[in-house]
Amino acid sequence: MASTIATASTRVLRQPRTALTCKRQLHTQDAGCRWHFGAAVVFDIDGVLVRGKQTIKEARRALDMLNGQNKLKRRIPFALLTNGGGVSEQDKASQISAMLGTRISANQVILAHSPMQALAAKYKDSHVLVVGGPGRQCADIAHAYGFRNVSTPNDIVAWRPEIWPFIRLSPEIRVEKRAFDQHPFAAVMVFHDSFDFGRDLQIVTDVLRSREGRLSAEYVGRQTVPLFLSNADLVFSNEYVRPRFGQGAFHECLRAMWCALTRGASLEYTRYGKPFAVQYRHAEQVLDALVEAQNSSVCEHRRIYAIGDNPAADIAGANAAGWTSILVRTGVFSGTNDPENPAQLVVDHVGDAVEKIIDIEHQRFTS
Ligand code: G3P
Ligand code: MG
């Protein structure tokens, strides 16, 4: 399907809501290739650059274009903004670099849980339950973010296997067992997809309605522990022909279970990830840092283009942030445009998206 223009205007280049204030100098010299600092591009990963372990054919060419292979003959700053996680920013950068055969650095990567680092200011010494991903991987990420006292659902199962009696803990899994009736939890943070929905629903609801965060026989009739969620995607796109349940599906189950267990009370939580504003503010700071690393003076009228496959996450968030939203058809979306969260541009794939961006920027630069 050919690219379609979704709105009356193709040049919907709103002013950014960013702290970045750059005075002049849209271009500067860097290792033989000039930079074009008037614009920045933010890529979604799953469904735009890759699908599971497979790369999307046009992805490498899209990044090459931003690295200077374009008619502007200038590099355009870019970052990757994914609702994925469960690995460090460095590991995700290495993984995508290897898949696409290009170099992406950790400071270009924003994961669903990246802005949750800021919670360490409050919870660094508090005992927190970190949920999601395999083994202790997310606990290790939380440690790297500055949380010093982290437990996982596996640790709890190791303490009392009968808490989730249906599956035995594999002996290879690294656990830090402690008496969870003596060590109260101050917060629950879901960093990544649950690898065991049933067990994690049980354990998270146990903690959320525990007396003062201690796991004991006694429940209280209300939520006692704050909950932080990192990725609201109901579905995401991998190699399978149809979209798969994302972390948002776990949230839906958790909310339904909470409602049933508490006779209709609603669950309180703070959300991170796309489409929430916190993620876009964080991404803008990342772009600011990238630009500042290349250029001492930065741009006043920067335009941020977001390329995504998920209207509810990528397009809703980009539109709300005042970015230019571009929807591709290589992931969860297929069709003309999304009626609820219409993108400003709809194209077949990321290669077409970057070509459009270069055209728009070229037209601005030369007119
Ligand atoms: O699990 C990741 C998925 O929910 C979405 O990833 O890159 O499409 O934001 P992405
Ligand atoms: Mg996606």
Side-chain angles (χ1 to χ4, degrees):
M1 200 183 292
S3 74
T4 53
I5 296 165
T7 66
S9 167
T10 54
R11 300 183 66 187
V12 197
L13 301 173
R14 297 183 210 165
Q15 297 303 307
R17 291 176 196 159
T18 169
L20 224 182
T21 46
C22 132
K23 294 287 172 259
R24 50 194 172 88
Q25 219 183 344
L26 285 176
H27 313 97
T28 191
Q29 193 76 32
D30 178 78
C33 190
R34 283 173 182 271
W35 282 89
H36 176 76
F37 285 132
V41 179
V42 173
F43 294 94
D44 174 61
I45 296 182
D46 290 305
V48 171
L49 299 177
V50 304
R51 279 184 76 139
K53 292 185 172 48
Q54 294 169 359
T55 58
I56 287 176
K57 186 158 62 72
E58 299 80 7
R60 170 62 194 268
R61 185 172 69 86
L63 298 187
D64 286 347
M65 279 193 269
L66 294 184
N67 282 329
Q69 293 179 25
N70 60 64
K71 59 188 172 190
L72 287 164
K73 300 206 177 345
R74 289 182 165 90
R75 299 176 70 182
I76 296 180
F78 69 88
L80 312 187
L81 173 61
T82 177
N83 268 353
V87 291
S88 67
E89 288 77 5
Q90 179 59 67
D91 286 349
K92 182 57 93 174
S94 304
Q95 179 201 343
I96 301 296
S97 298
M99 288 178 79
L100 298 181
T102 188
R103 198 168 70 87
I104 292 161
S105 60
N107 59 6
Q108 290 174 285
V109 172
I110 304 127
L111 304 167
H113 44 67
S114 298
M116 292 171 79
Q117 294 171 63
L119 291 169
K122 179 171 181 188
Y123 291 106
K124 63 178 184 298
D125 293 315
S126 308
H127 183 210
V128 299
L129 179 67
V130 169
V131 179
R136 289 192 70 76
Q137 216 161 287
C138 286
D140 292 341
I141 296 163
H143 273 293
Y145 284 173
F147 300 95
R148 297 174 185 151
N149 192 359
V150 178
S151 293
T152 67
N154 282 331
D155 299 337
I156 295 173
V157 172
W159 167 64
R160 289 274 189 272
E162 66 278 16
I163 204 165
W164 185 246
F166 308 111
I167 296 177
R168 277 179 198 278
L169 200 57
S170 157
E172 296 92 64
I173 290 178
R174 187 161 48 98
V175 289
E176 292 184 10
K177 193 158 68 168
R178 59 174 106 178
F180 290 99
D181 51 355
Q182 306 297 319
H183 288 85
F185 285 104
V188 175
M189 299 180 186
V190 182
F191 264 41
H192 192 42
D193 300 290
S194 168
F195 278 30
D196 189 335
F197 262 46
R199 180 202 64 183
D200 290 345
L201 287 172
Q202 176 72 76
I203 287 176
V204 170
T205 53
D206 282 341
V207 172
L208 293 180
R209 59 189 186 141
S210 60
R211 182 164 293 283
E212 294 169 349
R214 284 186 178 79
L215 287 175
S216 66
E218 198 183 0
Y219 282 138
V220 294
R222 62 189 162 78
Q223 185 175 347
T224 56
V225 173
L227 172 65
F228 300 90
L229 305 169
S230 66
N231 165 14
D233 287 357
L234 199 59
V235 291
F236 71 102
S237 178
N238 72 353
E239 301 94 326
Y240 192 64
V241 286
R242 291 189 58 81
R244 303 291 80 203
F245 289 166
Q247 196 194 118
F250 178 73
H251 304 170
E252 290 303 313
C253 297
L254 189 57
R255 290 192 323 154
M257 280 307 299
W258 185 259
C259 183
L261 290 166
T262 59
R263 296 171 192 255
S266 58
L267 188 60
E268 302 290 323
Y269 44 83
T270 304
R271 291 196 285 192
Y272 289 79
K274 298 173 286 185
F276 305 111
V278 61
Q279 216 69 11
Y280 290 80
R281 284 199 301 271
H282 186 87
E284 286 172 356
Q285 284 166 9
V286 165
L287 291 172
D288 291 352
L290 282 175
V291 170
E292 279 166 14
Q294 301 299 335
N295 190 29
S296 52
S297 61
V298 281
C299 318
E300 209 157 59
H301 300 298
R302 190 181 58 190
R303 298 163 296 285
I304 305 176
Y305 299 87
I307 306 172
D309 69 306
N310 185 334
D314 307 316
I315 305 306
N319 288 344
W323 298 5
T324 300
S325 55
I326 307 178
L327 181 58
V328 295
R329 299 188 178 96
T330 46
V332 299
F333 172 80
S334 59
T336 309
N337 204 343
D338 185 70
E340 281 174 45
N341 297 293
Q344 288 158 325
L345 283 167
V346 184
V347 296
D348 283 345
H349 51 70
V350 66
D352 284 353
V354 172
E355 262 172 27
K356 289 269 175 207
I357 293 167
I358 300 290
D359 283 348
I360 294 168
E361 290 300 312
H362 188 257
Q363 212 177 345
R364 289 180 65 92
F365 187 50
T366 53
S367 62

